[in-house]
Amino acid sequence: MSPILPGSTIGLFGGGQLGRMTAMAARGLGYHIVALDPDPSCAARFVVDRTLTAAFDDATAGAALGAASDVVSLEIESIALPALEAASRHAPVRPNGDVLGIVQDRGVQRRWLAQHGFPTGPFRVVSHATELAPAAADLGSELFVKSCQGGYDGRSQVRVRSADALPAAFASLGHRPCVLETALPLDGELSVLVARRPSGEVAVYPPAFNHHDNRILTWSVLPAPIAPALAQQAQELGRAIASALAIEGLLVIELFLVGGTLLVNELAPRPHNSFHMTEVGAYTSQFEQHVRAVCDLPLGSAAVHTPAAIVNLLGDLWAHTPAFDRALALPGIRLHLYGKRVARSGRKMGHLSAVGSTPEDAVARVMAGHAALQASSPIAPDATGPGPRAST
């Protein structure tokens, strides 16, 4: 299989922040970029060569993206399979429709993981209200109800604390097929990033430790401050899943840590929020690795040279102008804004990154930067560093 060399054109389904940062890395390697996105003012618009404004289910636009590209990839998995297939008639699409057919549907994804022997928490897939009570009898009274399709940053899911609340939760999700999961007592949440090129070479990053608030990632640190044996187990699990999927590109495996046991939560076949700090702490950023993988170039080192952390900047901060100068006055703080024009509550507008002598130090530094963004806040650490979480 021949590599797709610099000077070629990469097509991207999606022009959000992940597409923007992938495009910036691709430009540094000498590639041209065409992005397809339904938002005419998408985050990637001003860093790509060309944008196609179209819906993700527009097969005609998908064909146009493929025809304009030497290889096509994605930054979001909610691409309609006919649009992906249309692009694939003109250029290789990495990852392909087989992968997306598994990861787009939570029920299909969970069953695929179970069938391949990968560890998950207890779950049931339900399609009708009559199935709720029998599922709850097996899973317990405290549950998450997650729509099989759609949802991001905790959307399209509801937590219930009794079986009596299940019918209302199911109705609130539109009576659509759902996955019911036992609410687990979490010791922590981890993620592993795997890169795999079509020729078969694989690179696995150390696991990241992630902290969520309201089911949105707040901060993440690399490497996760966990025992080396557990880190190795997480990496081996990620490698095995990527191999079973035959992924071409990137795959992030979100993991729950429960009583010392790793359980797979979800899969994401793209760059991921929890590995943004690879830009400052790893020898190869996830965005450069994404380009290398889909173009079948030799993969870069996935080793971490310095502990690094990120904190997300949500639209809520823009209620007052963030004090970027105060944050940037702190040693080691870097600001990454996504070029989004409208700040909304819960919307990811950017992130801060920081390096430190230890993972705990990196988290304290980046959280101090976050506090400094709020003009009335003292410039002081606002976190105790990585630690256990009770639930998600």
Side-chain angles (χ1 to χ4, degrees):
M1 191 172 295
S2 299
I4 296 167
L5 296 175
S8 303
T9 298
I10 301 171
L12 285 177
F13 277 105
Q17 65 262 24
L18 299 178
R20 175 188 176 96
M21 289 182 274
T22 298
M24 292 167 71
R27 280 191 172 279
L29 288 169
Y31 289 91
H32 302 285
I33 298 287
V34 179
L36 184 154
D37 196 277
D39 182 359
S41 62
C42 64
R45 171 168 289 274
F46 297 107
V47 300
V48 300
D49 297 85
R50 179 185 170 199
T51 54
L52 303 176
T53 302
F56 291 143
D57 62 356
D58 187 332
T60 300
L65 180 67
S69 308
D70 297 293
V71 64
V72 174
S73 191
L74 52 88
E75 61 113 46
I76 185 170
E77 53 266 45
S78 57
I79 311 300
L81 296 183
L84 211 69
E85 171 61 27
S88 72
R89 292 197 290 268
H90 300 276
V93 176
R94 299 167 178 163
N96 61 31
D98 291 341
V99 172
L100 260 66
I102 292 170
V103 302
Q104 283 181 344
D105 185 298
R106 283 191 177 97
V108 173
Q109 183 183 141
R110 282 304 178 93
R111 284 170 168 157
W112 182 90
L113 288 165
Q115 288 166 0
H116 286 77
F118 297 118
T120 69
F123 75 94
R124 295 289 184 276
V125 180
V126 299
S127 299
H128 304 286
T130 55
E131 300 173 281
L132 296 173
D138 291 337
L139 299 174
S141 58
E142 293 203 28
L143 301 166
F144 281 97
V145 186
K146 300 181 179 180
S147 175
C148 282
Q149 301 219 349
Y152 189 74
D153 283 342
R155 302 181 185 95
S156 295
Q157 56 181 271
V158 180
R159 180 168 185 169
V160 299
R161 300 183 184 277
S162 71
D164 293 341
L166 275 174
F170 188 64
S172 73
L173 296 175
H175 295 94
R176 296 178 294 168
C178 291
V179 175
L180 268 61
E181 303 174 3
T182 301
L184 301 169
L186 303 188
D187 299 319
E189 296 188 41
L190 308 172
S191 53
V192 173
L193 171 62
V194 183
R196 183 177 180 275
R197 56 189 283 212
S199 61
E201 182 189 5
V202 174
V204 186
Y205 288 77
F209 186 98
N210 307 317
H211 176 81
H212 294 75
D213 289 302
N214 299 318
R215 301 186 199 129
I216 299 176
L217 182 69
T218 302
W219 57 260
S220 187
V221 64
L222 185 71
I226 57 177
L230 186 62
Q232 181 178 353
Q233 182 184 347
Q235 288 175 290
E236 291 173 352
L237 180 57
R239 182 187 294 270
I241 293 173
S243 176
L245 273 178
I247 192 81
E248 294 178 348
L250 299 186
L251 180 70
V252 169
I253 299 91
E254 299 178 13
L255 299 166
F256 289 155
L257 180 60
V258 181
T261 298
L262 292 173
L263 302 174
V264 180
N265 177 32
E266 286 190 348
L267 308 178
R270 53 170 172 78
H272 198 267
N273 195 178
S274 65
F275 283 90
H276 286 344
M277 74 289 281
T278 55
E279 289 191 296
V280 296
Y283 287 104
T284 311
S285 79
Q286 67 166 335
F287 304 107
E288 178 180 335
Q289 200 76 288
H290 184 194
V291 174
R292 288 180 180 232
V294 301
C295 292
D296 205 21
L297 295 175
L299 299 179
S301 170
V304 173
H305 55 73
T306 309
I310 63 104
V311 60
N312 278 322
L313 306 181
L314 303 182
D316 311 70
L317 277 173
W318 272 253
H320 304 285
T321 302
F324 296 123
D325 55 335
R326 286 169 58 89
L328 291 171
L330 298 175
I333 292 290
R334 286 182 57 183
L335 173 66
H336 312 255
L337 293 179
Y338 304 152
K340 297 180 179 179
R341 298 185 179 185
V342 179
R344 294 191 296 268
S345 178
R347 190 184 196 194
K348 293 172 183 171
M349 301 296 293
H351 65 273
L352 294 179
S353 65
V355 296
S357 57
T358 64
E360 293 82 1
D361 182 38
V363 172
R365 285 173 181 265
V366 82
M367 295 306 290
H370 188 266
L373 286 174
Q374 304 165 72
S376 62
S377 300
I379 300 178
D382 190 31
T384 58
R389 292 185 63 233
S391 63
T392 186

